[in-house]
Amino acid sequence: MKHLPNILSSLRIVGAVALLLSNVSSSPFWVLYIVCGISDIADGWLARKLKYVTRTGALLDSLADFYFVVCCAWKLLPTLELPQWLWLWGGVIVAIKVMNQISAIERHGHCCFPHTMANKWAGFLLFIAVPMTFVSIIPITIIAAIATFAAIQEGHFIKRNTPRQTGRWLPPEGQ
């Protein structure tokens, strides 16, 4: 039972890859999308509830998040009609996140994926806003602002903290 959060994260990776095999306009795609999104919320909640928050689980969750975002982007971005400025803004957010990881590798010797409240909200709101983007760009524009703040905060967090100072991004194994 205590491994359920890691199982959910692993299944999210499988679900994300399955998105690549689905048609964006099909029901299976959107069912997988919703299941993957709910599993993202459930795995962390369950880990805390079962008192089984581990470094491995946090990294697996981050890896599953990465796969989910990349697979969704691969399938959805070609279908969205977004203005050029919004594409550029998205590129800036990606550039900030890449610079954060380069900074983490230089500072700590490995990538760091802080599970900050801003990152959690940005991910959750992005999950909700993506389907709305087919109708209006207003929700995704608001999310871009939140994601920009989250990316900048993530960089600050990586630069100002060490693994020993906080357990939010690299909890000790077994805690």
Side-chain angles (χ1 to χ4, degrees):
M1 183 72 159
K2 69 180 183 177
H3 295 287
L4 187 57
N6 291 353
I7 292 168
L8 284 174
S9 295
S10 298
L11 289 174
R12 186 162 69 256
I13 293 170
V14 172
V17 173
L19 286 171
L20 296 175
L21 306 173
S22 304
N23 185 328
V24 173
S25 61
S26 71
S27 294
F29 178 89
W30 292 104
V31 168
L32 278 169
Y33 179 83
I34 290 168
V35 169
C36 286
I38 291 172
S39 78
D40 186 23
I41 296 165
D43 62 2
W45 180 82
L46 275 172
R48 289 184 295 279
K49 190 80 169 164
L50 297 171
K51 295 181 177 30
Y52 193 67
V53 176
T54 65
R55 177 183 174 146
T56 301
L59 292 174
L60 184 60
D61 176 56
S62 294
L63 183 64
D65 291 346
F66 177 77
Y67 274 103
F68 182 52
V69 168
V70 168
C71 292
C72 284
W74 185 269
K75 291 298 282 193
L76 292 168
L77 288 179
T79 66
L80 297 174
E81 295 181 23
L82 301 174
Q84 185 176 10
W85 61 267
L86 198 50
W87 286 103
L88 292 171
W89 194 353
V92 168
I93 295 168
V94 169
I96 293 169
K97 290 201 154 274
V98 168
M99 289 188 315
N100 288 345
Q101 293 312 310
I102 291 169
S103 172
I105 291 168
E106 288 175 352
R107 186 168 177 80
H108 304 293
H110 52 79
C111 291
C112 301
F113 303 96
H115 292 182
T116 64
M117 194 57 68
N119 268 336
K120 289 178 183 185
W121 273 105
F124 175 70
L125 294 172
L126 182 62
F127 169 70
I128 292 171
V130 164
M132 290 187 261
T133 304
F134 288 99
V135 179
S136 169
I137 66 163
I138 293 171
I140 202 75
T141 303
I142 294 167
I143 305 310
I146 295 167
T148 303
F149 171 78
I152 292 168
Q153 182 192 44
E154 177 182 279
H156 177 76
F157 189 84
I158 288 169
K159 288 177 184 138
R160 298 287 181 232
N161 293 287
T162 67
R164 303 241 185 265
Q165 288 174 314
T166 179
R168 288 192 293 178
W169 57 281
L170 285 174
E173 198 60 49
Q175 283 192 355

